[in-house]
Amino acid sequence: MPQESYPVVRVIARTNVGGPSLQVTALMRGLDKGRFPQHLLRGSVDEGEADYLAMRATDVEHVDVPGLGRSVKPLDDLRALVFLTKYMRRERPAIVHTHTAKAGALGRVAAVLARVPIRVHTFHGHVLRGYFSPTVTRVVILVERVLAKMTTHTVVVGQQVLDDLVEAKIIRPERSSVIAPGVSKPPPRPRAEARSALGVPLDATVVTFVGRLTRIKRGERFIAVARKLEAAFPDAVFLVVGDGPEREMLEREAAACTNVVFAGWQSDMAQVYAASDLLVLTSDNEGMPVALIEGAMQGVPAVSTDVGAVRQVVADGESGFVVADVDGVTTCVGRLIADPVLRASMGAAAAHRAQLMFGEERLVSDYAKLYDQLILSSRKLQRRHHR
């Protein structure tokens, strides 16, 4: 007897380098293509952003949506909405699954217009803190509450993200799930080769920042840590991996430092982690930081500000440190630079934790189970409706 097929249309606003693109790629590759044939619809990356699919996932087929992107542009948004609605009406998917805020808005409205029975949205984080003014944040909350009424089920990447969204009355716990990101463990890379490729000395202690260089990531804090520790640890290198609108400002901040290296976007992130002794995250807001998970998979401990679902990734005092402010970051980074034995033990703990909690197979399995549950519930509702 042939297996029943439930097509999925997956929509993401842009496939820039980051957690949402990595998770979408894992699902496109990993879900059973017979049971869940998928269509990936995506918008365009912003100027100066690297395209994750072009850099790390050229095998993933996709459709470019005219007008879809990160910024709010009414005419472009309308064009994207019309395209999405027509596409869904033509393909008649069983499930529409949206990722990121803009895709979540346009994709869910299009799914309602196209009468798609199951509508799933994943919050890879939220913008309730650190992004907008209080007035704009209130508008965002109101819009998300309306969109929630169009949503069959909501997925969030971490418990803290779920708690924040429930507190804001955007989602209801009984119609939501926490599904943490999943990444694959890459084959080991020779450290000397990785460091040579990135232009850092083989004998240095490499402290690495990974992320888009935007205000919310607070890259200037990382530069401040490098500046404070330069005299005490002259052989340490502070490596900035990423790009974005704040790069020029950060390069000016670091101009007087001899220990900061800007590497830009890197297509081979496994190489970055192989070259690193320690990861640092200095953000004001996060969902579930995938860079820390990827690094942990390769045995790299982390020091992070206490934001989002970081505590699910970093076990404070075991696989790294979770701290309140930049002074705490400086203290803990200095401690780990000075103590290679502690660094190694925390790295081993990070790898063990990541493999247990954040494997790619677990991610794919969790979503397959969720889809099956939603399909079953949808059938029951349809039967009741037709009685």
Side-chain angles (χ1 to χ4, degrees):
M1 186 173 180
Q3 184 184 46
E4 287 189 83
S5 177
Y6 298 95
V8 178
V9 166
R10 194 173 303 284
V11 189
I12 184 169
R14 69 202 207 284
T15 53
N16 60 309
V17 175
S21 297
L22 188 149
Q23 301 308 289
V24 163
T25 298
L27 293 172
M28 291 298 295
R29 288 170 171 165
L31 282 169
D32 183 339
K33 292 178 172 57
R35 184 157 178 77
F36 300 113
Q38 298 179 80
H39 306 250
L40 176 59
L41 277 60
R42 67 156 193 179
S44 57
V45 297
D46 289 347
E47 185 177 351
E49 287 186 319
D51 183 350
Y52 183 91
L53 296 189
M55 291 180 68
R56 300 173 64 181
T58 56
D59 58 301
V60 174
E61 295 183 2
H62 59 274
V63 175
D64 291 323
V65 179
L68 182 58
R70 184 188 189 197
S71 303
V72 176
K73 298 178 180 178
L75 291 179
D76 283 343
D77 294 344
L78 179 60
R79 188 156 56 113
L81 178 62
V82 170
F83 182 95
L84 290 168
T85 305
K86 287 182 177 178
Y87 190 95
M88 292 175 194
R89 284 175 174 167
R90 184 177 73 245
E91 297 298 332
R92 301 180 64 187
I95 301 169
V96 162
H97 188 158
T98 57
H99 303 258
T100 67
K102 173 66 81 64
L106 298 179
R108 282 180 280 180
V109 171
V112 169
L113 294 174
R115 297 183 178 180
V116 178
I118 299 171
R119 301 174 292 276
V120 180
H121 178 66
T122 294
F123 282 94
H124 295 271
H126 62 64
V127 294
L128 305 183
R129 285 192 293 272
Y131 282 87
F132 306 120
S133 68
T135 300
V136 173
T137 299
R138 284 194 291 271
V139 172
V140 169
I141 290 172
L142 290 174
V143 170
E144 288 292 355
R145 287 175 181 171
V146 172
L147 291 169
K149 297 180 185 300
M150 306 179 189
T151 309
T152 310
H153 198 86
T154 302
V155 178
V156 294
V157 294
Q159 186 62 46
Q160 186 59 55
V161 180
L162 175 67
D163 293 345
D164 290 345
L165 294 170
V166 169
E167 184 181 356
K169 299 180 180 178
I170 290 173
I171 62 176
R172 301 201 323 240
E174 66 272 17
R175 292 176 57 185
S176 305
S177 300
V178 175
I179 299 180
V183 303
S184 59
K185 184 179 180 181
R189 303 292 179 87
R191 171 164 290 211
E193 181 182 303
R195 291 194 167 188
S196 175
L198 291 166
V200 295
L202 179 60
D203 58 351
T205 302
V206 178
V207 182
T208 303
F209 173 102
V210 176
R212 189 164 181 261
L213 304 183
T214 58
R215 181 172 59 90
I216 200 72
K217 298 293 186 180
R218 299 301 296 268
E220 78 279 3
R221 291 174 174 166
F222 183 74
I223 303 302
V225 172
R227 187 182 302 115
K228 289 177 182 178
L229 295 177
E230 184 174 16
F233 303 103
D235 294 330
V237 170
F238 288 75
L239 180 66
V240 180
V241 177
D243 212 332
E246 297 222 332
R247 177 165 177 169
E248 287 187 14
M249 180 273 287
L250 294 174
E251 287 179 331
R252 288 196 299 272
E253 291 273 329
C257 301
T258 61
N259 60 347
V260 179
V261 174
F262 287 82
W265 288 119
Q266 296 292 315
S267 59
D268 188 350
M269 289 305 296
Q271 180 172 265
V272 170
Y273 302 124
S276 301
D277 292 294
L278 172 64
L279 291 178
V280 175
L281 185 145
T282 54
S283 301
D284 275 338
N285 192 2
E286 287 283 342
M288 177 78 76
V290 171
L292 300 190
I293 298 173
E294 289 185 310
M297 278 285 184
Q298 292 186 234
V300 185
V303 175
S304 175
T305 45
D306 191 2
V307 291
V310 161
R311 286 185 180 272
Q312 285 180 246
V313 182
V314 181
D316 185 35
E318 295 179 19
S319 65
F321 294 106
V322 182
V323 299
D325 52 32
V326 69
D327 289 335
V329 174
T330 304
T331 297
C332 291
V333 169
R335 181 179 172 186
L336 285 170
I337 292 174
D339 192 340
V341 175
L342 178 62
R343 213 165 57 230
S345 66
M346 284 190 160
H352 179 70
R353 183 180 178 85
Q355 288 161 28
L356 283 178
M357 298 177 61
F358 301 109
E360 196 171 88
E361 289 183 4
R362 191 271 313 150
L363 171 80
V364 172
S365 174
D366 284 353
Y367 270 109
K369 289 174 184 175
L370 174 63
Y371 289 170
D372 280 334
Q373 291 168 3
L374 294 175
I375 289 163
L376 182 61
S377 297
S378 178
R379 284 174 168 175
K380 288 179 179 177
L381 286 173
Q382 288 172 8
R383 289 193 198 108
R384 289 176 189 167
H385 180 72
H386 289 299
R387 282 176 184 171

